[in-house]
Every structure is written in structure tokens, then in C-alpha cells.
């Protein structure tokens, strides 16, 4: 009797009849070295996450600078600073809502490319700001772009990556977002706040250039009846020496069985609502750990403490530690497994990169575009509430109150991980979806 997905660790797990697994020599031909085109396509896409991470923490060095500004049109009060920090999350929520439509209308790749428009416009507004409204509008637009890419990039990466490297590649969106944040902290030591916005335009332009040469997701192309284009895209991604017909037939069979849109009645079926519920709760718990307000106000938080180093240096150190942690997660995710890292690691090694990957892995294909947008929408609305209320709560009760709350949420997250999160290491997206459909030993028990 085969082990269910939750407890499976061996390579022989299967949820539906299929051809025998490829021989070791065949695996070598489609191994890591032959996946260099997948790596290139992933890098092109996750540049959007670099911009997202950069824009998210833009306020960390800028708010203290504007609070000291002598220009009355740009001088920020505490209330205005809280809006400047939090309005990004409202834009991100709108971006997640738009992704519910654009992900399936334009496709994953074109949706990511579309995000460059509000991102570039937002940076331009903040670079040339002459009043608070320009700062807020620019921040909202970059937030919209961030929410859109947050919903689209993990789905795109998971759909183009083979199972053997999907964990490592699935961590790259978070890795690039952290690298973007670190770049902002580092540049904040050297550049004035306007030039920080100008520098944010560079990764957006590079992303557009590279993505224009990358293929769309084969699964999305098949869902639109563009079979020949999907086969060419898969062959390009896997390399000239790879035999893609077996993988293509698997994907094609799964897409054909799910060619129609999900009705509300179907959405209530266990094989649909359970993975969506898991993904949604992961996104909510991730935000409730307090990561967004901490990053947005990181330098201001250090300003209010008795640390010895200058707050700018402290923020840069935090960014460097986060980058190292996510890099370790990317290298170990396909070895240790997603669930193990959620248990034993901190945010940057666990709940940061893994929840984005698991979201894209567990969501069913027919609902993936809409459901990922819904998850991002709920996530960023939660982030807005936390970010907008953080400074007033700290001003009234001190730092200890929000941090005790965040610690309690971390304990809840551990219980949720043990009871509800499946292990998806080494499984194809079709196998993961088939597991939820069979109902074997439901993970909600």
C-alpha cells in the first residue's frame, strides 16, 4: 500500500497510472545542467520580485529623511508617514485582485511584463515628487506592480520548472525580493531618496527586455488550445537533448480534464476548496507574523532602540542575513523538504520563500490564476491593516505589544504546518493535484 503525499519521502510515490520513471541516464539528460534555459527564464521573471522587494522597503530610509525635511510640501508627520508606509500594501492588494483576471487572460508571462508599466510610472513619480500626493501615488503604483508579480511569478516559475529543481527555483522569487531589499538598504547608505527611486527603474527595464525572449508557460498555452506552441515552449525549456513527449502528454492530459472554468459549486468540492484553503491560510499567517511592517519601518524601529550601530547599518545587516537565509533555503528545499523547513527555520528560510512556492504547487490548475490572485489580495489587505496600525500602536503601547502578537502568530503557524500543510518535495504538479482529488488520508484530519 503506497504512502500518501503527507508522509511520502521515497521517489516511488505515485497517485495515478503513468509510464515508469526515467532511467538514471535519462534523468541526467534532463538534469540540472540541461535546465539552464529554465534558469534563464526564471531569472528573467524574478527580476519582478527584485523590484518588488526594493519598492517594499523603499520607505525604510526615506521616511526618516522626509521627517527631517525642511520642505513643507514633503515634510512628513507621523500620520503621513504611516500612510506613506502602508499605502504600498493597498496597491499590492489591487495588484493581486487584477492578477485574478490577468493571470488567465494574458497568461503568466505577459502579466509579469504588464507589471512594468505601473512600476516604472511609480518610481518616476517618487523621483520627481513635489508633494505628498505624488509620493503616495507612486508608492501605490509600485505596490500594484508588486502585488501583480507576487501572484504571477510563483505560478509561472512552478509551471516551467521540472520537479527535481522546482523547490530551488520556487525559492528564487523570495530570494530576489530579499536581494532587492538588501540593494535598497545598501544604496540608502550612498544615495539621497530621490535617486533611490531612479535606481529602481533599472531592474524593471532589464526584466522587460529578457522576458520578451522567454516562452509562456506550457500549461497556460495548453489551456488555451495552443498545443504546438506549448510543445515548442516545453522543448525549449527542457533543452535539445531532452525527450519531452512523456511530460507533455502528462500535462496535456491534466489540462484536458480541467479545460472548463471552475463553477462556484465545484469550488466547494473538497479537492478544490482544501488546497485553496491551505494556500490562503499560509498567506494570511505569513503576513500576520509581522514581516511587512517590520521591513517597511525597519530603520525607524532601530531609531527607537538602544542598538550601538547606526540604524542604516543595522537595516543593511538585517537585509544581508535575510539574503543568506533565503539562499540556504533555496539550496536545501529539494533535499530537506518544504514542511521540515517550515518547522525548523525562521521567516527568511521558511515562511518567506516556502509559502509562495507551496501556494503555486497546491493550487489546482483550473483555479490557479484566480486563486493565486485571491491569496495575494487577502495577504496584502492583512498587511495594510498591520502596517497602518503599527506606528500608532508602537507610539501608544511600545514595541513590545506588536512583537508579542507576532510571536503568538508564529506559534499558531507551527500548529497549522503540522496539521494542514502537505509535503510536495519531488512531486509533479499533476501528482500533487491528483493527491487532493483522491482524498486519501485528508491532510485536514
Amino acid at each position: 500500500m503506497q504512502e500518501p503525499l503527507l508522509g511520502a519521502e521515497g521517489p516511488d510515490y505515485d497517485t495515478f497510472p503513468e509510464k515508469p520513471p526515467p532511467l538514471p541516464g535519462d534523468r541526467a539528460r534532463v538534469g540540472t545542467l540541461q535546465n539552464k534555459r529554465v534558469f534563464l527564464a526564471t531569472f528573467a521573471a524574478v527580476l519582478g520580485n527584485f523590484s518588488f522587494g526594493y519598492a517594499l522597503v523603499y520607505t525604510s530610509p526615506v521616511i526618516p529623511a522626509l521627517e527631517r525635511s525642511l520642505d513643507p510640501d514633503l515634510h512628513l508627520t507621523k500620520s503621513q508617514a504611516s500612510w506613506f508606509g502602508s499605502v504600498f500594501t493597498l496597491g499590492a492588494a489591487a495588484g493581486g485582485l487584477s492578477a485574478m483576471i490577468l493571470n488567465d487572460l494574458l497568461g503568466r508571462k505577459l502579466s509579469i511584463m504588464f507589471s512594468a508599466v505601473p512600476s516604472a510610472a511609480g518610481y518616476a513619480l517618487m523621483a520627481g515628487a513635489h508633494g505628498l500626493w505624488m509620493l503616495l501615488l507612486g508608492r501605490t503604483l509600485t505596490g500594484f506592480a508588486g502585488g501583480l508579480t507576487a501572484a504571477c511569478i510563483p505560478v509561472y516559475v512552478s509551471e516551467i520548472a521540472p520537479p527535481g529543481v522546482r523547490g530551488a527555483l520556487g525559492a528564487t522569487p523570495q530570494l530576489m525580493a530579499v536581494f532587492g531589499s538588501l540593494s535598497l538598504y545598501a544604496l540608502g547608505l550612498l544615495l539621497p531618496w530621490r535617486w533611490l527611486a531612479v535606481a529602481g527603474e533599472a531592474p524593471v527595464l532589464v526584466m522587460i527586455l529578457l522576458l520578451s525572449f522567454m516562452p509562456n508557460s506550457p500549461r497556460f498555452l495548453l489551456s488555451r488550445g495552443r498545443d504546438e506552441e506549448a510543445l515548442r515552449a516545453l522543448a525549449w525549456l527542457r533543452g535539445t537533448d531532452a525527450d519531452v513527449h512523456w511530460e507533455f502528454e502528462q500535462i496535456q492530459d491534466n489540462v484536458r480534464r480541467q479545460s472548463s472554468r471552475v463553477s462556484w459549486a465545484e469550488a466547494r468540492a473538497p479537492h478544490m476548496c482544501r488546497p485553496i484553503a491551505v494556500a490562503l491560510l499560509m498567506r494570511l499567517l505569513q503576513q500576520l507574523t509581522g514581516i511587512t511592517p517590520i521591513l517597511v519601518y525597519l530603520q525607524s524601529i532601530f531609531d527607537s532602540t538602544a542598538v550601538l550601530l547606526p540604524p542604516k547599518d543595522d537595516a543593511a545587516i538585517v537585509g544581508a542575513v535575510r539574503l543568506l537565509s533565503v539562499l540556504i533555503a533555496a539550496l536545501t528545499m529539494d533535499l530537506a523538504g518544504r514542511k521540515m523547513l517550515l518547522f525548523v527555520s525562521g521567516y527568511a528560510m521558511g515562511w518567506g520563500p516556502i509559502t509562495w512556492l507551496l501556494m503555486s504547487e497546491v493550487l489546482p490548475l483550473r483555479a490557479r490564476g484566480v486563486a493565486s490572485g485571491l491569496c495575494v489580495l487577502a495577504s496584502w489587505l492583512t498587511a495594510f491593516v498591520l502596517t497602518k496600525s503599527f506606528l500608532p500602536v508602537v507610539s501608544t503601547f511600545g514595541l513590545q505589544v506588536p512583537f508579542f502578537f507576532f510571536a503568538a502568530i508564529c506559534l499558531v503557524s507551527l500548529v497549522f504546518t503540522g496539521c494542514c500543510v502537505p509535503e510536495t518535495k519531488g512531486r509533479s504538479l499533476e501528482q500533487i493535484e491528483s493527491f487532493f482529488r483522491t482524498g486519501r488520508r485528508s491532510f485536514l484530519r
Side-chain angles (χ1 to χ4, degrees):
M1 185 172 174
Q2 290 174 317
E3 285 288 321
L5 188 62
L6 274 173
E9 294 294 340
D12 57 345
Y13 175 80
D14 189 13
T15 55
F16 51 90
E18 60 181 29
K19 293 184 181 181
L23 297 174
D26 296 327
R27 289 195 187 105
R29 284 195 294 271
V30 294
T32 301
L33 294 178
Q34 295 300 319
N35 289 322
K36 55 186 178 182
R37 290 179 175 176
V38 173
F39 299 155
L40 178 60
T42 299
F43 174 74
V46 298
L47 281 171
N49 288 98
F50 179 96
S51 183
F52 163 69
Y54 188 97
L56 174 64
V57 302
Y58 175 76
T59 52
S60 179
V62 174
I63 285 179
L66 293 181
E67 285 179 334
R68 297 189 299 266
S69 175
L70 300 179
D71 185 344
D73 293 328
L74 293 174
H75 178 78
L76 294 183
T77 64
K78 287 295 183 184
S79 175
Q80 290 170 334
S82 70
W83 276 109
F84 186 42
S86 62
V87 75
F88 178 94
T89 59
L90 285 182
L97 185 63
S98 299
M100 297 171 66
I101 301 172
L102 296 178
N103 231 343
D104 291 327
L105 180 65
L106 299 179
R108 291 50 159 145
K109 187 188 86 166
L110 289 180
S111 296
I112 298 168
M113 295 178 71
F114 175 77
S115 71
V117 177
S119 183
Y123 283 128
L125 279 168
M126 290 188 290
H130 295 292
L132 179 62
W133 72 270
M134 295 180 72
L135 291 172
L136 295 180
L137 180 57
R139 188 95 170 115
T140 303
L141 288 174
T142 54
F144 179 90
L148 184 57
T149 55
C152 299
I153 292 175
V155 175
Y156 178 75
V157 171
S158 71
E159 290 187 352
I160 66 172
V165 295
R166 196 174 62 241
L169 294 184
T172 55
Q174 181 71 10
L175 180 65
M176 288 297 284
V178 172
F179 186 47
S181 298
L182 176 59
S183 299
L184 185 282
Y185 294 139
L187 289 174
L189 299 174
L190 306 171
L191 299 177
W193 65 271
R194 291 188 189 274
W195 282 101
L196 288 176
V198 173
E201 302 279 9
V204 177
L205 298 177
V206 176
M207 180 191 72
I208 284 288
L209 178 63
L210 289 180
L211 270 181
S212 62
F213 296 101
M214 300 298 115
N216 213 323
S217 159
R219 287 173 174 82
F220 169 75
L221 294 172
L222 280 170
S223 71
R224 291 295 177 266
R226 295 150 64 178
D227 292 23
E228 292 185 6
E229 187 179 349
L231 181 58
R232 289 197 301 270
L234 188 62
W236 187 91
L237 289 165
R238 297 296 180 261
T240 55
D241 295 332
D243 180 8
V244 300
H245 289 88
W246 177 69
E247 182 181 2
F248 181 77
E249 288 171 3
Q250 271 198 316
I251 299 172
Q252 189 177 47
D253 178 65
N254 191 47
V255 170
R256 283 175 178 169
R257 286 189 285 107
Q258 304 188 64
S259 57
S260 60
R261 289 188 175 274
V262 179
S263 66
W264 283 109
E266 284 182 291
R268 294 194 294 269
H271 71 275
M272 283 285 182
C273 68
R274 284 173 179 169
I276 293 174
V278 168
L280 184 61
L281 286 171
M282 281 193 301
R283 300 301 309 129
L284 290 175
L285 287 172
Q286 186 206 44
Q287 286 294 352
L288 287 171
T289 61
I291 188 64
T292 298
I294 290 173
L295 293 178
V296 167
Y297 303 121
L298 188 57
Q299 190 170 318
S300 298
I301 291 172
F302 281 121
D303 272 330
S304 64
T305 62
V307 291
L308 298 178
L309 294 175
K312 284 187 176 183
D313 294 344
D314 292 321
I317 291 172
V318 170
V321 172
R322 289 182 65 221
L323 181 63
L324 178 62
S325 300
V326 177
L327 183 59
I328 294 172
L331 296 175
T332 60
M333 201 179 297
D334 285 316
L335 299 174
R338 286 67 155 144
K339 194 165 183 175
M340 178 63 69
L341 286 179
L342 286 178
F343 270 121
V344 303
S345 62
Y347 179 88
M349 279 184 63
W351 280 85
I354 293 176
T355 53
W356 286 111
L357 172 63
L358 278 170
M359 180 189 79
S360 62
E361 287 182 325
V362 304
L363 290 177
L365 176 65
R366 290 174 63 192
R368 193 167 292 155
V370 172
S372 63
L374 176 63
C375 290
V376 173
L377 172 65
S379 172
W380 287 112
L381 286 178
T382 305
F384 170 74
V385 174
L386 291 174
T387 310
K388 184 66 180 71
S389 60
F390 183 81
L391 290 181
V393 169
V394 169
S395 177
T396 304
F397 302 104
L399 277 174
Q400 66 273 12
V401 170
F403 276 87
F404 277 132
F405 172 77
F406 299 151
I409 293 297
C410 290
L411 294 177
V412 174
S413 300
L414 286 176
V415 176
F416 171 78
T417 300
C419 297
C420 303
V421 177
E423 179 57 76
T424 60
K425 180 186 72 171
R427 317 302 175 207
S428 71
L429 298 183
E430 285 67 41
Q431 285 178 315
I432 296 168
E433 189 161 336
S434 183
F435 162 74
F436 284 109
R437 189 174 294 276
T438 61
R440 297 179 190 171
R441 197 186 297 179
S442 168
F443 58 81
L444 292 181
R445 291 182 187 179

